[in-house]
Amino acid sequence: MRRPLVMANWKMHGSRASAATLVAGLLEQIDDPRADIALCPSFVHLSQVLDACAGSALAVGAQDCSHMHQGAYTGEVAPDMLADLGCQWVLLGHSERRQYHDESDGLVAAKLAAAVEAGLKPVLCIGETREEREDGEAFTVVARQLQGALAEQSALAGLVIAYEPVWAIGTGLTASPEQAQEMHGYIREQLAEVKGVDAEQVRLLYGGSVKAANAASLFAQPDIDGALVGGASLDSAEFANIIAAA
Ligand code: PEP
């Protein structure tokens, strides 16, 4: 039985004040959740959010990390620094990183290796664009992203996959539960081929305009084990309702 996992991706939003309000609101509303929960604020708010979540059911993660452990990499943040701070999770290969920072499958693979070595649990984000889906390429793209990130890894402890069709992120369009399940089933089949992975144990999250109103029907699918939530995670009541649906 896979325990559900609901993660918040705050992206580049917030201030110290709004982060404090958001965490306080969540702590008030979440009592003995039946899902694991993690918040991924921006790097600059990590310390504050870690302090606010200490001793609670809320874990904390980063939205990205370097592929290197230390050195002359100005502006980068090493996974070791995140682990040292108290983070448990890190998002890798988010489509906005792939799109705006040209992250390749090779770079995502290197980040994933560094993150696991540092003791972080990686959430590998994959998903096709609208054009790729319309061209019938969705499954090929997802398989390539999975292989590109996982094929050469020597350790994959704590691996989570987030399937986030790019056309559904921040657009208000959500994959139907059937569309999402079809891809999640396919991802689990692909994972069964990866050395060192127990495909039945890996949690597969869906991401793309998840909100309280559509969460339950997505979570009812057999291979959807939770969600990676962007916009709706910035409202504590909405996010708490998504967690309740898990
Ligand atoms: C995301 O950024 O990972 C995401 C799924 O965003 P949204 O929920 O806003 O579509």
PDB file of all heavy atoms in Angstrom, residues 9 11 94 96 164 168-171 207-210 228-232, ligand 1:
ATOM      1  N   ASN A   9       4.085  23.248  -4.546  1.00  0.00           N
ATOM      2  CA  ASN A   9       5.151  23.964  -5.237  1.00  0.00           C
ATOM      3  C   ASN A   9       4.765  25.439  -5.254  1.00  0.00           C
ATOM      4  O   ASN A   9       3.919  25.847  -6.047  1.00  0.00           O
ATOM      5  CB  ASN A   9       5.294  23.415  -6.665  1.00  0.00           C
ATOM      6  CG  ASN A   9       6.318  24.207  -7.471  1.00  0.00           C
ATOM      7  OD1 ASN A   9       7.062  25.017  -6.919  1.00  0.00           O
ATOM      8  ND2 ASN A   9       6.343  23.966  -8.774  1.00  0.00           N
ATOM      9  N   LYS A  11       6.513  27.832  -6.174  1.00  0.00           N
ATOM     10  CA  LYS A  11       7.194  28.543  -7.284  1.00  0.00           C
ATOM     11  C   LYS A  11       7.834  29.834  -6.768  1.00  0.00           C
ATOM     12  O   LYS A  11       8.285  29.888  -5.627  1.00  0.00           O
ATOM     13  CB  LYS A  11       6.222  28.799  -8.433  1.00  0.00           C
ATOM     14  CG  LYS A  11       5.444  27.551  -8.843  1.00  0.00           C
ATOM     15  CD  LYS A  11       4.784  27.706 -10.171  1.00  0.00           C
ATOM     16  CE  LYS A  11       3.864  26.536 -10.426  1.00  0.00           C
ATOM     17  NZ  LYS A  11       3.520  26.366 -11.816  1.00  0.00           N
ATOM     18  N   HIS A  94      11.434  20.099 -13.239  1.00  0.00           N
ATOM     19  CA  HIS A  94      10.131  20.735 -13.440  1.00  0.00           C
ATOM     20  C   HIS A  94      10.092  21.353 -14.842  1.00  0.00           C
ATOM     21  O   HIS A  94      11.096  21.861 -15.335  1.00  0.00           O
ATOM     22  CB  HIS A  94       9.893  21.812 -12.373  1.00  0.00           C
ATOM     23  CG  HIS A  94       8.475  22.311 -12.355  1.00  0.00           C
ATOM     24  ND1 HIS A  94       8.007  23.218 -13.271  1.00  0.00           N
ATOM     25  CD2 HIS A  94       7.432  22.002 -11.552  1.00  0.00           C
ATOM     26  CE1 HIS A  94       6.718  23.447 -13.018  1.00  0.00           C
ATOM     27  NE2 HIS A  94       6.346  22.717 -11.981  1.00  0.00           N
ATOM     28  N   GLU A  96       9.072  24.038 -15.924  1.00  0.00           N
ATOM     29  CA  GLU A  96       9.492  25.447 -16.013  1.00  0.00           C
ATOM     30  C   GLU A  96      11.019  25.553 -15.993  1.00  0.00           C
ATOM     31  O   GLU A  96      11.583  26.474 -16.588  1.00  0.00           O
ATOM     32  CB  GLU A  96       8.836  26.257 -14.878  1.00  0.00           C
ATOM     33  CG  GLU A  96       7.342  26.442 -15.150  1.00  0.00           C
ATOM     34  CD  GLU A  96       6.474  26.590 -13.913  1.00  0.00           C
ATOM     35  OE1 GLU A  96       7.003  26.825 -12.814  1.00  0.00           O
ATOM     36  OE2 GLU A  96       5.236  26.452 -14.067  1.00  0.00           O
ATOM     37  N   GLU A 164       3.393  15.634 -14.934  1.00  0.00           N
ATOM     38  CA  GLU A 164       2.775  16.949 -15.059  1.00  0.00           C
ATOM     39  C   GLU A 164       2.706  17.316 -16.538  1.00  0.00           C
ATOM     40  O   GLU A 164       3.687  17.846 -17.092  1.00  0.00           O
ATOM     41  CB  GLU A 164       3.603  17.995 -14.319  1.00  0.00           C
ATOM     42  CG  GLU A 164       3.768  17.735 -12.846  1.00  0.00           C
ATOM     43  CD  GLU A 164       4.070  19.022 -12.096  1.00  0.00           C
ATOM     44  OE1 GLU A 164       5.078  19.680 -12.414  1.00  0.00           O
ATOM     45  OE2 GLU A 164       3.274  19.377 -11.223  1.00  0.00           O
ATOM     46  N   ALA A 168      -1.247  21.329 -18.856  1.00  0.00           N
ATOM     47  CA  ALA A 168      -2.181  21.444 -17.719  1.00  0.00           C
ATOM     48  C   ALA A 168      -1.615  22.293 -16.585  1.00  0.00           C
ATOM     49  O   ALA A 168      -2.318  22.571 -15.618  1.00  0.00           O
ATOM     50  CB  ALA A 168      -2.527  20.046 -17.194  1.00  0.00           C
ATOM     51  N   ILE A 169      -0.342  22.713 -16.681  1.00  0.00           N
ATOM     52  CA  ILE A 169       0.274  23.437 -15.564  1.00  0.00           C
ATOM     53  C   ILE A 169      -0.096  24.910 -15.616  1.00  0.00           C
ATOM     54  O   ILE A 169       0.220  25.607 -16.597  1.00  0.00           O
ATOM     55  CB  ILE A 169       1.808  23.276 -15.574  1.00  0.00           C
ATOM     56  CG1 ILE A 169       2.165  21.809 -15.368  1.00  0.00           C
ATOM     57  CG2 ILE A 169       2.450  24.143 -14.496  1.00  0.00           C
ATOM     58  CD1 ILE A 169       3.641  21.532 -15.330  1.00  0.00           C
ATOM     59  N   GLY A 170      -0.791  25.352 -14.591  1.00  0.00           N
ATOM     60  CA  GLY A 170      -1.142  26.764 -14.467  1.00  0.00           C
ATOM     61  C   GLY A 170      -2.124  27.245 -15.515  1.00  0.00           C
ATOM     62  O   GLY A 170      -2.341  28.445 -15.683  1.00  0.00           O
ATOM     63  N   THR A 171      -2.759  26.332 -16.246  1.00  0.00           N
ATOM     64  CA  THR A 171      -3.649  26.723 -17.339  1.00  0.00           C
ATOM     65  C   THR A 171      -5.121  26.580 -16.963  1.00  0.00           C
ATOM     66  O   THR A 171      -5.989  27.063 -17.692  1.00  0.00           O
ATOM     67  CB  THR A 171      -3.415  25.818 -18.565  1.00  0.00           C
ATOM     68  OG1 THR A 171      -3.653  24.460 -18.160  1.00  0.00           O
ATOM     69  CG2 THR A 171      -1.992  25.966 -19.100  1.00  0.00           C
ATOM     70  N   GLY A 207       0.292  16.222 -11.488  1.00  0.00           N
ATOM     71  CA  GLY A 207       0.338  17.677 -11.317  1.00  0.00           C
ATOM     72  C   GLY A 207      -0.186  18.376 -12.555  1.00  0.00           C
ATOM     73  O   GLY A 207       0.065  17.933 -13.685  1.00  0.00           O
ATOM     74  N   GLY A 208      -0.901  19.467 -12.349  1.00  0.00           N
ATOM     75  CA  GLY A 208      -1.457  20.233 -13.462  1.00  0.00           C
ATOM     76  C   GLY A 208      -2.843  20.694 -13.120  1.00  0.00           C
ATOM     77  O   GLY A 208      -3.814  19.964 -13.291  1.00  0.00           O
ATOM     78  N   SER A 209      -2.918  21.925 -12.528  1.00  0.00           N
ATOM     79  CA  SER A 209      -4.198  22.530 -12.183  1.00  0.00           C
ATOM     80  C   SER A 209      -5.043  21.657 -11.242  1.00  0.00           C
ATOM     81  O   SER A 209      -6.276  21.616 -11.353  1.00  0.00           O
ATOM     82  CB  SER A 209      -4.990  22.897 -13.446  1.00  0.00           C
ATOM     83  OG  SER A 209      -4.268  23.850 -14.216  1.00  0.00           O
ATOM     84  N   VAL A 210      -4.354  20.968 -10.313  1.00  0.00           N
ATOM     85  CA  VAL A 210      -5.104  20.225  -9.291  1.00  0.00           C
ATOM     86  C   VAL A 210      -5.708  21.229  -8.314  1.00  0.00           C
ATOM     87  O   VAL A 210      -5.065  22.192  -7.895  1.00  0.00           O
ATOM     88  CB  VAL A 210      -4.184  19.245  -8.525  1.00  0.00           C
ATOM     89  CG1 VAL A 210      -4.937  18.589  -7.364  1.00  0.00           C
ATOM     90  CG2 VAL A 210      -3.637  18.180  -9.471  1.00  0.00           C
ATOM     91  N   LEU A 228       1.215  16.976  -7.068  1.00  0.00           N
ATOM     92  CA  LEU A 228       2.113  18.124  -6.945  1.00  0.00           C
ATOM     93  C   LEU A 228       1.269  19.325  -7.349  1.00  0.00           C
ATOM     94  O   LEU A 228       0.754  19.383  -8.471  1.00  0.00           O
ATOM     95  CB  LEU A 228       3.327  17.947  -7.868  1.00  0.00           C
ATOM     96  CG  LEU A 228       4.338  19.091  -7.909  1.00  0.00           C
ATOM     97  CD1 LEU A 228       4.839  19.465  -6.517  1.00  0.00           C
ATOM     98  CD2 LEU A 228       5.530  18.711  -8.795  1.00  0.00           C
ATOM     99  N   VAL A 229       1.103  20.247  -6.416  1.00  0.00           N
ATOM    100  CA  VAL A 229       0.112  21.310  -6.577  1.00  0.00           C
ATOM    101  C   VAL A 229       0.812  22.666  -6.631  1.00  0.00           C
ATOM    102  O   VAL A 229       1.556  23.013  -5.712  1.00  0.00           O
ATOM    103  CB  VAL A 229      -0.886  21.304  -5.390  1.00  0.00           C
ATOM    104  CG1 VAL A 229      -2.000  22.315  -5.623  1.00  0.00           C
ATOM    105  CG2 VAL A 229      -1.450  19.908  -5.166  1.00  0.00           C
ATOM    106  N   GLY A 230       0.561  23.428  -7.682  1.00  0.00           N
ATOM    107  CA  GLY A 230       1.140  24.762  -7.801  1.00  0.00           C
ATOM    108  C   GLY A 230       0.188  25.813  -7.247  1.00  0.00           C
ATOM    109  O   GLY A 230       0.092  26.031  -6.032  1.00  0.00           O
ATOM    110  N   GLY A 231      -0.536  26.473  -8.139  1.00  0.00           N
ATOM    111  CA  GLY A 231      -1.381  27.613  -7.770  1.00  0.00           C
ATOM    112  C   GLY A 231      -2.271  27.370  -6.559  1.00  0.00           C
ATOM    113  O   GLY A 231      -2.336  28.213  -5.647  1.00  0.00           O
ATOM    114  N   ALA A 232      -2.926  26.219  -6.513  1.00  0.00           N
ATOM    115  CA  ALA A 232      -3.891  25.966  -5.430  1.00  0.00           C
ATOM    116  C   ALA A 232      -3.201  25.757  -4.080  1.00  0.00           C
ATOM    117  O   ALA A 232      -3.863  25.780  -3.038  1.00  0.00           O
ATOM    118  CB  ALA A 232      -4.762  24.755  -5.767  1.00  0.00           C
TER     119      ALA A 232
HETATM  120  C1  PEP B   1       3.301  22.840 -10.790  1.00  0.00           C
HETATM  121  O1  PEP B   1       3.859  23.918 -10.888  1.00  0.00           O
HETATM  122  O2  PEP B   1       3.977  21.853 -10.499  1.00  0.00           O
HETATM  123  C2  PEP B   1       1.858  22.785 -11.007  1.00  0.00           C
HETATM  124  C3  PEP B   1       1.286  21.630 -11.112  1.00  0.00           C
HETATM  125  O3  PEP B   1       1.197  23.981 -11.083  1.00  0.00           O
HETATM  126  P1  PEP B   1      -0.415  24.205 -11.109  1.00  0.00           P
HETATM  127  O4  PEP B   1      -0.992  23.341 -10.036  1.00  0.00           O
HETATM  128  O5  PEP B   1      -0.587  25.670 -10.852  1.00  0.00           O
HETATM  129  O6  PEP B   1      -0.875  23.794 -12.469  1.00  0.00           O
END
